[in-house]
Amino acid sequence: MSLAYAAADPTTTVRVVKLGNHIGAQISGVRLGGDLDKATVATIRAALNEHKVIFFRDQQHLSEDGQYEFAQLLGSPTTPHPTLTSAGAKSLDIDSRYGGRSNVWHTDVTFVDRVPRASILRAVTLPSYGGSTTWASTVEAYNALPAPLKLLAENLRARHSNTYDYVAESAEHPDAGTVAYRREFESTYFETEHPVVHVHPDTGERALLLGCFVKEIVGLPGSESRALFRLFQDRVTRLENTTRWNWELGDVAIWDNLATQHYAVDDYDADERRKLTRITLAGPIPVGVDGVPSTAIAGNAESYSTGGTRTAVS
Ligand SMILES: O=C(O)CCC(=O)C(=O)O
Ligand SMILES: [Fe+2]
């Protein structure tokens, strides 16, 4: 299905083409930057809410500054990361040389209370093959649950932290860059309790809020906590629920971080470099179906993100 919208410049047409039933669309006819007209920004916002992750090819003109100026049109950027503070002022490099191989399913930064609303990722250096990224809809994962499992999930809360079990995720010996990255990643301890089902601040849709930062489901013994996590997390990553993007230089992906998880596929040569630049938009503190918000257990994310109130940010 393809939807066309007239852009402010009458010579171009913005086109939104769906990539899958539940998630993903490619948008063409847009030159991203700080000078985009309001109508196009509104189209991008609507497409993001509807499709959860959207892709733009051929944005080679974008610099870090241009990416940031565009981000400011869409929402309010956070600092690059709560703990990776040696990153620049505006963006976070996802760099294979420095620990940037996110081959584990996650929603970004769920260890803080103000979970980012969206992320904007731009391909800067790519390997000669491999290195795609996959996103999954956490809204569809919730919607597809049988009624008894919906009820169960809605009544659970989970604790997320920024120290998770890397050893369980990777059989390989980490290189020096990865070790340094992890040390910085864990330099300040953050822990937050979130509802397992939260209500999306802009669409009102319900979504599972899980991913690799989950430490435990509250109130359960370890074995049952792990079993329930697995049950719901496996629902998120069903392939019908995902879309996979094969990057080309100059591509930009924007995902709704409150409606998705993602996984960077580590299938490129160890000698090859892959680097993408991420700018993140602030989001509000999630709330559960019962209206109870997430609560910070450890760490203060105020300086990371101006989010926190439940006003629409993007
Ligand atoms: O490397 C990628 O494709 C995605 C990395 C990631 O997890 C992120 O940018 O948040
Ligand atoms: Fe990520």
Side-chain angles (χ1 to χ4, degrees), residues 77-133:
T78 63
T79 65
H81 196 268
T83 57
L84 298 170
T85 46
S86 64
K90 292 181 174 167
S91 67
L92 179 71
D93 279 346
I94 311 290
D95 190 332
S96 57
R97 284 202 191 154
Y98 303 102
R101 288 179 187 259
S102 307
N103 57 332
V104 52
W105 281 102
H106 63 285
T107 292
D108 286 336
V109 199
T110 60
F111 45 85
V112 304
D113 53 357
R114 46 206 75 202
V115 179
R117 172 68 175 82
S119 277
I120 303 167
L121 191 63
R122 178 171 63 93
V124 177
T125 306
L126 292 173
S128 52
Y129 59 84
S132 60
T133 308

Side-chain angles (χ1 to χ4, degrees), residues 33-45:
D35 54 355
L36 266 189
D37 60 279
K38 279 193 178 142
T40 306
V41 173
T43 300
I44 291 172
R45 228 173 244 163

Side-chain angles (χ1 to χ4, degrees), residues 4 16 22 33 47 56 75 101 103 106 140 145 150 165 193 204 216-217 234 240 244 259 273 302-303:
V16 182
H22 303 301
F56 302 80
R101 288 179 187 259
N103 57 332
H106 63 285
E140 178 55 23
L145 287 174
K150 278 188 177 151
D165 190 0
E193 185 179 304
E216 62 191 11
I217 307 283
D234 286 350
E240 290 74 13
R244 183 163 171 170
R273 189 167 191 187
E302 272 170 38
S303 59

Side-chain angles (χ1 to χ4, degrees), residues 7-39:
D9 172 356
T11 60
T12 59
T13 304
V14 180
R15 221 164 249 293
V16 182
V17 179
K18 261 176 95 100
L19 299 175
N21 196 5
H22 303 301
I23 182 168
Q26 183 172 344
I27 302 188
S28 58
V30 175
R31 185 183 156 91
L32 298 176
D35 54 355
L36 266 189
D37 60 279
K38 279 193 178 142

Side-chain angles (χ1 to χ4, degrees), residues 31-288:
R31 185 183 156 91
L32 298 176
D35 54 355
L36 266 189
D37 60 279
K38 279 193 178 142
T40 306
V41 173
T43 300
I44 291 172
R45 228 173 244 163
L48 185 61
N49 281 340
E50 183 176 350
H51 303 292
K52 320 306 184 204
V53 57
I54 51 180
F55 304 100
F56 302 80
R57 293 248 192 239
D58 300 324
Q59 307 296 322
Q60 285 88 342
H61 60 276
L62 269 187
S63 59
E64 184 196 27
D65 284 345
Q67 186 180 354
Y68 194 83
E69 284 156 21
F70 165 65
Q72 287 176 305
L73 292 182
L74 212 53
S76 68
T78 63
T79 65
H81 196 268
T83 57
L84 298 170
T85 46
S86 64
K90 292 181 174 167
S91 67
L92 179 71
D93 279 346
I94 311 290
D95 190 332
S96 57
R97 284 202 191 154
Y98 303 102
R101 288 179 187 259
S102 307
N103 57 332
V104 52
W105 281 102
H106 63 285
T107 292
D108 286 336
V109 199
T110 60
F111 45 85
V112 304
D113 53 357
R114 46 206 75 202
V115 179
R117 172 68 175 82
S119 277
I120 303 167
L121 191 63
R122 178 171 63 93
V124 177
T125 306
L126 292 173
S128 52
Y129 59 84
S132 60
T133 308
T134 301
W135 283 263
S137 168
T138 53
V139 169
E140 178 55 23
Y142 168 83
N143 286 342
L145 287 174
L149 288 183
K150 278 188 177 151
L151 263 185
L152 173 59
E154 285 164 9
N155 285 288
L156 296 172
R157 288 172 73 90
R159 292 209 173 172
H160 299 230
S161 86
N162 60 330
T163 55
Y164 66 99
D165 190 0
Y166 297 96
V167 181
E169 301 291 346
S170 163
E172 286 148 38
H173 241 20
D175 55 36
T178 304
V179 170
Y181 172 89
R182 287 180 193 170
R183 196 171 296 135
E184 191 179 5
F185 195 92
E186 297 178 359
S187 55
T188 305
Y189 183 67
F190 282 93
E191 185 175 325
T192 297
E193 185 179 304
H194 293 295
V196 166
V197 179
H198 81 101
V199 181
H200 193 285
D202 296 323
T203 64
E205 292 173 308
R206 295 177 178 186
L208 294 178
L209 182 50
L210 292 168
C212 76
F213 299 119
V214 171
K215 188 179 153 210
E216 62 191 11
I217 307 283
V218 176
L220 299 180
S223 60
E224 287 167 352
S225 170
R226 283 190 292 278
L228 278 191
F229 170 77
R230 212 45 290 148
L231 185 147
F232 291 113
Q233 178 65 22
D234 286 350
R235 283 284 185 155
V236 172
T237 59
R238 287 187 170 189
L239 289 180
E240 290 74 13
N241 210 19
T242 67
T243 193
R244 183 163 171 170
W245 186 252
N246 292 309
W247 293 96
E248 290 176 13
L249 284 178
D251 284 359
V252 170
I254 308 176
W255 63 93
D256 182 336
N257 196 54
L258 298 177
T260 55
Q261 288 187 24
H262 55 280
Y263 182 112
V265 184
D266 186 5
D267 62 348
Y268 49 100
D269 198 283
D271 296 337
E272 287 207 80
R273 189 167 191 187
R274 178 179 181 277
K275 185 174 131 176
L276 301 98
T277 296
R278 184 179 98 189
I279 294 176
T280 300
L281 301 180
I285 293 173
V287 296

